[in-house]
Amino acid sequence: MLQKREKVLLLRTFRGRTLRIVREHYLRPSVPCNSPLCPQPAACRNGRGPGGSEGDGKLLSSDVTHYMIPDWKVVQDYLEILEFPELKGIIFMQTACQTVQHQRGRRQYNKLRNLLKDARHDCILFANEFQQGCYRPRERGESMEKWQTRSIYNAAVWYYHHCQDKMPIVMVTEDEEAIQQYGSETEGVFVISFKNYLDNFWPDLKAAHELCESILQSRRERENESQESHGKEYPEHLPLEVLEAGIKSGRYTQGTLSVNKHRAQIEAFVRLQGASSKDSGLVSDILIHGMKARNRSIHGDVVVVELLPKNEWKGRTAALCENDSDDKVSGESPSEPMPTGRVVGILQKNWRDYVVTFPSREEVQSQGKNAQKILVTPWDYRIPKIRISTQQAEALQDFRVVVRIDSWEATSVYPNGHFVRVLGRIGDLEGEIATILVENSISVIPFSEAQMCEMPVNTPECPWKVSPEEERDRKDLRKTHLVFSIDPEGCEDVDDTLSVRTLNNGNLELGVHIADVTHFVAPDSYIDIEARTRATTYYLADRRYDMLPSVLSADLCSLLGGVDRYAVSVMWELDKTSYEIKKVWYGRTIVQSAYKLCYEAAQELLDGNFSIVNDIPEFRDLGEKSRQAKLEELVWAIGKLTDIARHVRAKRDRCGALELEGVEVRVQLDEKKNIHDLIPKQPLEVHETVAECMILANHWVAKKIWESFPHQALLRQHPPPHQEFFSELRECAKAKGFFIDTRSNKTLADSLDNANDPNDPIVNRLLRSMATQAMSNALYFSTGSFTEEEFHHYGLALDKYTHFTSPIRRYSDIIVHRLLMAAISKDKKMEIKEGLLSNKDLEELCRHINNRNRAAQNSQKQSTELFQCMYFKDKDPETEERCISDGVIYSIRTNGVLVFIPRFGIKGAAYLKNKDGLVISCGPDSCSEWKSGSLQRFQNKITSTTTGGEAVTFHLFDHVTVRISVQASRCHSDTIRLEIIRNKPYMMPDTDLFRQSSLLLKNDLVKEVTRSVEEAQLAQEVKVNVIQEDYQKYCQTKGRSLYTLLEEIRDLALLDVSNSYGV
């Protein structure tokens, strides 16, 4: 029998407003306890399956000596210790979890939720506030904190008796009064401090003790500081109710703080959010100039800003600085003042784990005698120095270390934090890769045993095969269709295959067949929850971290050649001459791919070079007659696919589809697996062929799922870019005599097509690259949250678009597959088996996937930059011929230029004025040297004039000779440094030209790199079984890996204009 109560909640909205909500609160006689000691598991409804209950179907381990219940304060302060897998039998009370949600924000609450879902951790959630025997209403005059502790203690006592007093329960709390009051009240329920708990139950868990001491020390420092300090370094933040009233009245504006990594101490911008920008009438972001005006807010925080008077507005700086790169710039003139403000409050702190470096011995000495308080420097330029308390500063000064920020008081110049763990040595490959992962909040822990237990078996002893039920329910294409894949060399996770054939009526049938991942990944299963958390496969330069275990990604879901596989297919009937679509069919199929082609082999066949057949495994054992017949069939299919793709592309071009320029650098290895060369990827027509077929499938699936579920379909939108971001593109094109019309995607595409310099093809590439930089990010969204006009994909010129074709490596595609299956069931008037996500839940999921996609893009970019630096680091720039290259100037700054190096696909800054104030000068031989003088910047050129009257001018798109070197950094990532050594193009020696041309024409390089020389030598000594053990342990692909499909390159090209202002 349910008992009804009323519960008053004070909730804070994302905009910072407080809402008072009265909810009906129903108490139940039983809720899932998820203990193996439960006397009535059926009544408690334990183990209802993953995702089906509050505890996600997990049961506590029976192999424990006690259950541990943390108080709300322990969950808040020590969550990272509770994440240790050694700590077992943890029961998180609903009261504690809700306190974390309301007091610590979404990021901390999501960490707790993920911990509870993770099958690797022996912990459960108990809904104590819905259990009749546990619920305790708050008494009059009782503080919220006391009520929370009392509720958790009463729930602990109930739980102990519920388990028939068979399992001791230890409640850990930081409340000394509670320890005194409850410590000996109930036999079998112990109440102790968290430090006592670790000392008595886990004395040998050294890492937990060190972390606990670090957190306690940080807390003591904060308490001492608040008692001792009287002088304010920063103004106090305004109370929440004042901020809410100010936002509502329009006096204040809210948005997300974005620090300019190139001038982190000076420039930050507040990105306006939603109604905030409409209400204020502002069209640009707000500049926050200086640390004082930033008022203790950190990059990523949601802040409230007060605009300064117009006479105090400032403009952006246009000078290059030490870590300047190719990040996009706004089109505003550098001297033009822009809206400027100061932070008056923080609505949401989005703090995360930060990788830092300890100061060197000399720097420690300069910080003072108190060696326990240390200022550490974050790897990310945008994060301020963090003060932590530790006695390990000297031991850790050569390592990358993870810290967390605890607080930033108004009395402190720097935020306070605590040490978490060591990642690796500075400069060591594994340490630097781990840094990139942590900085992007990417978790790559192994798949758990529970997740792997859900996987199908496919071994020589027990091979997987098509089931009779699936054979009956699916369309069988194995004998009727020539199905084949075209992928990068070495590809393991083959998501997609293609087919084309002539029908009896003379028309053509085009088929796109996608791996049926959802057959193996059930909604809310352990592996589904893990895939949802990862959201994507992360591709780094020397490895990839799969979204799904390899038994699926590289085997049973992968549409490999010569084996039966389940697929989800889209097949169109096309007019035999016009290729117009007559009808379309969607459904589940069984396919067997006849050929697993790489892009280069398919291109050779398309070009009529049939000698490549000897390199295609499927042709090797065929007789001459059979080989000829099959070759003709395959060549016809590739040719016909290409014809269809050209038609489809032309149709999109007429609507304004953009051909975007994204530089993808591939890394060539020598025989010892050391980096031998960096080579930009060369596009092939088959890339376009495959991409167009995938785009067509994505488009038609988007239309189908939207028609069936107009308010809860997952689509992908690409909003039109802000016109101000195109101003540099227009100015640069104007310098070459071209006019770029940016009013629509159609006019932009046409303008870029016409902006060709017959004497220099690099010009068009750079203009397309600038157009790409101006683009907004393409994002996933739920159709229930937007109007149909907002669905449009600007870059592809399509009214509706989604991602359907890569479910092995994108979780969005898994959701789309489920939607498509539900749409097919709906058409057949069948029951929809799987519950679909509501618009609200789908919107939340889209936010998460978009966030993880940005992390994947950033980590891929950062790892590529890491290996670019590794490539040049060991080379002497003065003597190594490969460090000298031709560069093209593509942007002018007040003290230098930005240069693109086509040879390596590198963009970077080249200074025309050095730190000593000397300017570049070029003599009669065009060689450069530094002399006293001055620089004068114009719209499309910059002139360097020496005191002796010698002048040299650099124009936009000038070719110059550049020396490439590496600027090493102890605290941050190394960067590529460019130096102009001649104001003339670089003329390569004939031998080098021949070598480069042959390499570029081969197109047989995958984007991968490897470990350093020492690690490569070590790897040669490792036995195969050890490698297999590592592979099994992580269930990941490491080492030689595939890289990416053209469609993904296209998406990666749509970089977010909002993430930095490198002026």
Side-chain angles (χ1 to χ4, degrees):
M1 184 71 182
L2 297 181
Q3 295 179 8
K4 181 180 173 182
R5 299 278 192 278
E6 279 192 350
K7 192 173 183 181
V8 178
L9 300 175
L10 295 175
L11 300 179
R12 193 169 77 189
T13 67
F14 187 67
R15 290 196 60 187
R17 294 173 182 166
T18 301
L19 299 178
R20 185 179 186 271
I21 298 174
V22 180
R23 284 185 180 162
E24 292 180 342
H25 189 76
Y26 291 93
L27 303 180
R28 298 166 174 80
S30 60
V31 297
C33 69
N34 295 318
S35 169
L37 300 175
C38 178
Q40 298 175 310
C44 281
R45 299 175 298 154
N46 291 335
R48 285 187 293 161
S53 71
E54 289 89 343
D56 288 319
K58 288 165 67 175
L59 285 178
L60 288 169
S61 169
S62 55
D63 184 28
V64 292
T65 59
H66 64 280
Y67 291 152
M68 189 263 271
I69 297 178
D71 191 8
W72 63 274
K73 184 70 171 164
V74 171
V75 178
Q76 277 192 6
D77 292 349
Y78 298 102
L79 181 60
E80 55 209 288
I81 299 179
L82 299 175
E83 290 173 339
F84 277 51
E86 292 86 352
L87 271 58
K88 298 180 183 296
I90 304 177
I91 302 169
F92 288 96
M93 293 296 170
Q94 176 192 358
T95 303
C97 295
Q98 287 179 344
T99 306
V100 171
Q101 180 183 16
H102 296 142
Q103 293 188 12
R104 286 299 171 93
R106 181 184 293 166
R107 186 181 290 269
Q108 184 88 341
Y109 180 59
N110 284 342
K111 284 187 70 173
L112 178 56
R113 286 174 62 190
N114 291 335
L115 177 67
L116 286 162
K117 291 174 185 175
D118 195 334
R120 284 172 287 257
H121 294 275
D122 185 30
C123 60
I124 59 143
L125 170 67
F126 179 62
N128 63 300
E129 293 190 25
F130 291 108
Q131 217 292 330
Q132 286 176 6
C134 295
Y135 180 73
R136 295 289 183 274
R138 187 173 163 191
E139 296 173 354
R140 185 179 294 276
E142 185 179 28
S143 71
M144 179 64 77
E145 291 80 6
K146 292 296 180 187
W147 171 76
Q148 288 164 341
T149 300
R150 182 166 65 88
S151 293
I152 292 170
Y153 173 74
N154 279 303
V157 173
W158 180 92
Y159 204 97
Y160 174 67
H161 294 317
H162 177 72
C163 294
Q164 300 177 314
D165 302 354
K166 291 180 180 178
M167 182 65 71
I169 287 183
V170 180
M171 175 178 163
V172 291
T173 179
E174 295 296 280
D175 187 336
E176 288 295 334
E177 288 183 19
I179 294 172
Q180 294 295 324
Q181 182 179 349
Y182 304 127
S184 55
E185 187 174 289
T186 306
E187 187 178 351
V189 179
F190 305 91
V191 184
I192 61 176
S193 72
F194 189 62
K195 190 167 189 319
N196 272 346
Y197 176 74
L198 289 180
D199 290 341
N200 289 292
F201 289 87
W202 301 99
D204 300 324
L205 195 55
K206 185 182 175 184
H209 284 273
E210 289 177 352
L211 187 48
C212 181
E213 185 54 42
S214 178
I215 294 170
L216 286 170
Q217 181 67 24
S218 176
R219 188 193 297 167
R220 286 192 290 266
E221 294 288 348
R222 288 203 307 275
E223 290 168 356
N224 292 339
E225 189 175 273
S226 61
Q227 291 169 7
E228 294 171 6
S229 282
H230 303 290
K232 302 280 185 186
E233 295 289 343
Y234 296 97
E236 291 288 354
H237 293 146
L238 297 179
L240 185 60
E241 54 271 19
V242 176
L243 297 177
E244 290 171 3
I247 293 169
K248 194 173 182 179
S249 68
R251 179 181 178 183
Y252 301 141
T253 306
Q254 83 170 69
T256 303
L257 186 79
S258 179
V259 177
N260 178 1
K261 67 180 180 182
H262 306 298
R263 272 169 287 281
Q265 296 297 311
I266 304 169
E267 281 186 359
F269 300 86
V270 170
R271 290 254 128 75
L272 305 183
Q273 290 180 341
S276 189
S277 57
K278 296 173 189 171
D279 296 344
S280 64
L282 293 168
V283 294
S284 74
D285 296 335
I286 299 171
L287 171 67
I288 309 295
H289 191 271
M291 293 296 291
K292 292 286 185 187
R294 213 175 294 174
N295 195 4
R296 295 171 287 145
S297 55
I298 290 173
H299 176 78
D301 286 351
V302 179
V303 298
V304 178
V305 176
E306 180 180 41
L307 275 180
L308 298 175
K310 280 197 174 183
N311 60 356
E312 295 182 37
W313 287 10
K314 299 180 184 296
R316 295 183 174 96
T317 315
L320 297 171
C321 59
E322 276 306 316
N323 55 321
D324 213 331
S325 69
D326 65 310
D327 289 277
K328 59 189 72 61
V329 298
S330 169
E332 292 181 4
S333 168
S335 58
E336 181 183 338
M338 65 180 292
T340 307
R342 64 185 184 94
V343 173
V344 294
I346 302 175
L347 292 181
Q348 184 176 316
K349 293 174 180 173
N350 287 321
W351 299 349
R352 56 174 174 82
D353 287 1
Y354 299 105
V355 179
V356 302
T357 306
F358 278 73
S360 62
R361 287 183 182 84
E362 299 76 24
E363 290 172 310
V364 170
Q365 290 165 4
S366 69
Q367 285 191 17
K369 292 182 179 179
N370 188 353
Q372 284 197 338
K373 289 185 179 180
I374 297 294
L375 276 177
V376 293
T377 304
W379 186 83
D380 187 340
Y381 283 99
R382 299 169 298 187
I383 308 303
K385 288 184 177 180
I386 302 167
R387 187 171 59 186
I388 67 169
S389 298
T390 181
Q391 295 176 331
Q392 304 179 64
E394 193 166 335
L396 294 175
Q397 63 180 348
D398 295 327
F399 292 87
R400 300 272 189 230
V401 172
V402 178
V403 302
R404 287 179 185 165
I405 295 176
D406 299 313
S407 67
W408 195 347
E409 307 300 333
T411 54
S412 175
V413 179
Y414 300 103
N416 293 300
H418 65 271
F419 164 87
V420 177
R421 69 182 187 277
V422 175
L423 285 182
R425 284 191 174 275
I426 297 169
D428 174 69
L429 178 60
E430 290 306 309
E432 297 301 324
I433 290 290
T435 295
I436 290 170
L437 295 176
V438 170
E439 282 294 318
N440 290 286
S441 302
I442 296 172
S443 174
V444 290
I445 48 179
F447 291 103
S448 71
E449 187 178 344
Q451 290 159 357
M452 296 306 292
C453 284
E454 294 178 340
M455 295 297 95
V457 176
N458 187 27
T459 62
E461 299 76 31
C462 184
W464 178 88
K465 57 185 179 183
V466 172
S467 73
E469 296 82 10
E470 294 295 328
E471 208 159 13
R472 184 184 66 242
D473 295 341
R474 292 171 180 264
K475 182 177 280 193
D476 195 338
L477 309 181
R478 287 174 291 185
K479 294 179 181 176
T480 56
H481 290 65
L482 174 66
V483 176
F484 57 94
S485 63
I486 306 176
D487 285 290
E489 183 76 55
C491 179
E492 295 172 342
D493 50 352
V494 181
D495 288 284
D496 55 90
T497 52
L498 299 164
S499 68
V500 62
R501 64 173 185 159
T502 304
L503 299 174
N504 294 332
N505 61 6
N507 285 338
L508 294 170
E509 181 192 73
L510 169 66
V512 172
H513 316 284
I514 306 300
D516 189 0
V517 173
T518 55
H519 173 80
F520 298 99
V521 179
D524 292 324
S525 60
Y526 287 133
I527 199 61
D528 182 57
I529 291 166
E530 181 67 22
R532 186 162 64 219
T533 302
R534 298 187 182 207
T536 181
T537 290
Y538 297 97
Y539 294 92
L540 271 62
D542 67 332
R543 65 197 78 188
R544 78 171 190 260
Y545 293 102
D546 296 317
M547 184 181 78
L548 296 170
S550 58
V551 67
L552 294 183
S553 63
D555 189 4
L556 292 181
C557 287
S558 186
L559 305 180
L560 304 168
V563 290
D564 295 342
R565 289 291 180 260
Y566 295 149
V568 178
S569 300
V570 184
M571 293 190 284
W572 302 267
E573 182 178 333
L574 309 176
D575 183 271
K576 59 185 174 185
T577 52
S578 68
Y579 297 144
E580 290 301 314
I581 294 171
K582 299 288 188 183
K583 63 173 80 166
V584 61
W585 179 89
Y586 308 88
R588 281 186 149 138
T589 55
I590 304 172
V591 300
Q592 185 178 113
S593 177
Y595 304 100
K596 183 175 178 290
L597 301 174
C598 66
Y599 283 121
E600 291 73 28
Q603 185 65 48
E604 294 286 356
L605 293 176
L606 184 62
D607 293 341
N609 180 11
F610 301 144
S611 61
I612 194 70
V613 169
N614 298 321
D615 297 331
I616 301 174
E618 291 86 354
F619 282 101
R620 283 177 191 157
D621 299 327
L622 297 177
E624 188 59 38
K625 189 174 180 182
S626 176
R627 173 191 278 213
Q628 190 60 34
K630 286 185 175 294
L631 177 60
E632 288 175 5
E633 182 185 35
L634 178 61
V635 169
W636 177 86
I638 295 173
K640 189 57 69 176
L641 279 175
T642 304
D643 282 346
I644 294 169
R646 287 171 186 157
H647 170 82
V648 173
R649 173 73 202 203
K651 192 173 181 181
R652 286 199 305 110
D653 283 344
R654 288 195 292 273
C655 296
L658 293 167
E659 184 180 333
L660 298 167
E661 176 70 26
V663 178
E664 185 190 6
V665 181
R666 296 189 179 276
V667 182
Q668 185 189 28
L669 311 173
D670 61 20
E671 292 176 358
K672 292 184 179 179
K673 294 191 176 181
N674 298 319
I675 305 167
H676 176 61
D677 208 350
L678 298 173
I679 299 174
K681 181 194 165 191
Q682 299 299 295
L684 304 172
E685 186 172 15
V686 286
H687 287 140
E688 284 291 323
T689 298
V690 174
E692 284 303 327
C693 292
M694 298 305 119
I695 291 168
L696 186 69
N698 288 332
H699 173 53
W700 278 83
V701 169
K703 292 199 294 185
K704 178 66 179 174
I705 62 176
W706 173 75
E707 286 164 3
S708 298
F709 309 106
H711 302 297
Q712 56 192 119
L714 187 153
L715 299 189
R716 189 163 174 81
Q717 64 177 176
H718 182 213
H722 296 290
Q723 284 298 311
E724 60 263 30
F725 290 123
F726 281 128
S727 58
E728 185 175 17
L729 167 67
R730 288 192 290 262
E731 290 300 329
C732 288
K734 189 177 174 183
K736 274 288 183 180
F738 301 123
F739 171 70
I740 303 292
D741 187 343
T742 60
R743 288 174 299 172
S744 71
N745 53 355
K746 172 66 175 156
T747 58
L748 175 60
D750 292 343
S751 300
L752 289 171
D753 287 341
N754 295 328
N756 268 311
D757 184 341
N759 299 318
D760 191 358
I762 297 293
V763 170
N764 189 262
R765 282 182 64 188
L766 281 171
L767 291 176
R768 289 186 187 277
S769 179
M770 288 179 194
T772 301
Q773 291 289 321
M775 297 292 165
S776 309
N777 244 1
L779 298 168
Y780 298 109
F781 69 99
S782 173
T783 51
S785 301
F786 291 83
T787 62
E788 192 176 347
E789 294 75 35
E790 294 173 292
F791 294 1
H792 187 73
H793 196 292
Y794 179 87
L796 297 177
L798 293 170
D799 59 341
K800 293 175 186 70
Y801 191 67
T802 192
H803 273 164
F804 157 77
T805 54
S806 295
I808 290 177
R809 58 190 175 87
R810 291 191 304 231
Y811 191 75
S812 55
D813 301 50
I814 289 179
I815 296 295
V816 168
H817 275 236
R818 289 174 182 157
L819 284 163
L820 180 60
M821 292 304 104
I824 293 169
S825 298
K826 190 176 178 182
D827 288 348
K828 294 178 179 177
K829 306 285 193 292
M830 293 167 60
E831 180 189 353
I832 298 174
K833 296 178 183 177
E834 299 164 357
L836 300 179
L837 294 173
S838 66
N839 175 58
K840 183 182 176 184
D841 290 339
L842 187 57
E843 193 176 18
E844 179 76 20
L845 178 61
C846 287
R847 258 199 302 269
H848 168 69
I849 296 174
N850 289 332
N851 175 278
R852 292 295 81 210
N853 277 357
R854 278 191 293 272
Q857 291 173 9
N858 289 337
S859 59
Q860 185 178 38
K861 180 173 178 281
Q862 288 162 359
S863 69
T864 301
E865 290 168 350
L866 169 65
F867 284 94
Q868 285 176 339
C869 289
M870 286 177 61
Y871 173 71
F872 288 106
K873 199 166 189 176
D874 297 330
K875 294 173 174 56
D876 183 351
E878 299 293 334
T879 58
E880 176 71 46
E881 201 170 87
R882 244 181 279 188
C883 292
I884 310 297
S885 190
D886 187 57
V888 185
I889 295 171
Y890 71 93
S891 190
I892 307 291
R893 297 290 187 266
T894 56
N895 60 340
V897 293
L898 295 180
V899 179
F900 171 57
I901 302 175
R903 170 74 179 86
F904 299 112
I906 291 173
K907 291 179 180 178
Y911 291 88
L912 302 185
K913 179 184 277 191
N914 65 16
K915 288 181 179 179
D916 299 324
L918 304 178
V919 298
I920 197 167
S921 171
C922 297
D925 59 354
S926 300
C927 292
S928 67
E929 56 182 318
W930 297 102
K931 292 184 178 180
S932 297
S934 61
L935 296 176
Q936 189 173 8
R937 179 194 177 190
F938 302 92
Q939 185 70 53
N940 300 316
K941 64 182 180 179
I942 185 168
T943 299
S944 171
T945 308
T946 67
T947 50
E950 303 163 12
V952 58
T953 299
F954 296 92
H955 298 82
L956 275 175
F957 301 112
D958 275 357
H959 284 250
V960 292
T961 301
V962 177
R963 177 184 289 126
I964 307 167
S965 59
V966 174
Q967 184 153 334
S969 173
R970 192 172 161 276
C971 298
H972 309 284
S973 59
D974 292 346
T975 52
I976 294 290
R977 182 170 174 269
L978 304 180
E979 181 187 356
I980 296 175
I981 57 174
R982 294 181 78 242
N983 64 340
K984 299 291 183 189
Y986 175 60
M987 304 304 294
M988 286 183 295
D990 291 342
T991 53
D992 193 30
L993 180 64
F994 173 79
R995 180 185 63 80
Q996 182 187 356
S997 300
S998 63
L999 285 172
L1000 290 175
L1001 289 172
K1002 282 186 179 176
N1003 288 295
D1004 61 348
L1005 302 174
V1006 295
K1007 190 174 185 180
E1008 60 174 334
V1009 293
T1010 190
R1011 309 189 193 296
S1012 61
V1013 179
E1014 296 79 15
E1015 290 170 318
Q1017 291 170 344
L1018 180 64
Q1020 292 170 2
E1021 299 168 10
V1022 177
K1023 301 296 182 188
V1024 174
N1025 62 338
V1026 178
I1027 296 171
Q1028 285 298 323
E1029 284 174 17
D1030 182 63
Y1031 179 79
Q1032 289 298 324
K1033 176 184 176 185
Y1034 287 93
C1035 306
Q1036 305 287 6
T1037 305
K1038 298 185 74 175
R1040 287 186 171 269
S1041 62
L1042 69 91
Y1043 228 71
T1044 183
L1045 297 172
L1046 185 66
E1047 183 186 358
E1048 181 163 303
I1049 298 166
R1050 188 186 301 271
D1051 284 337
L1052 287 173
L1054 304 178
L1055 294 176
D1056 188 0
V1057 299
S1058 65
N1059 60 10
S1060 57
Y1061 283 78
V1063 182

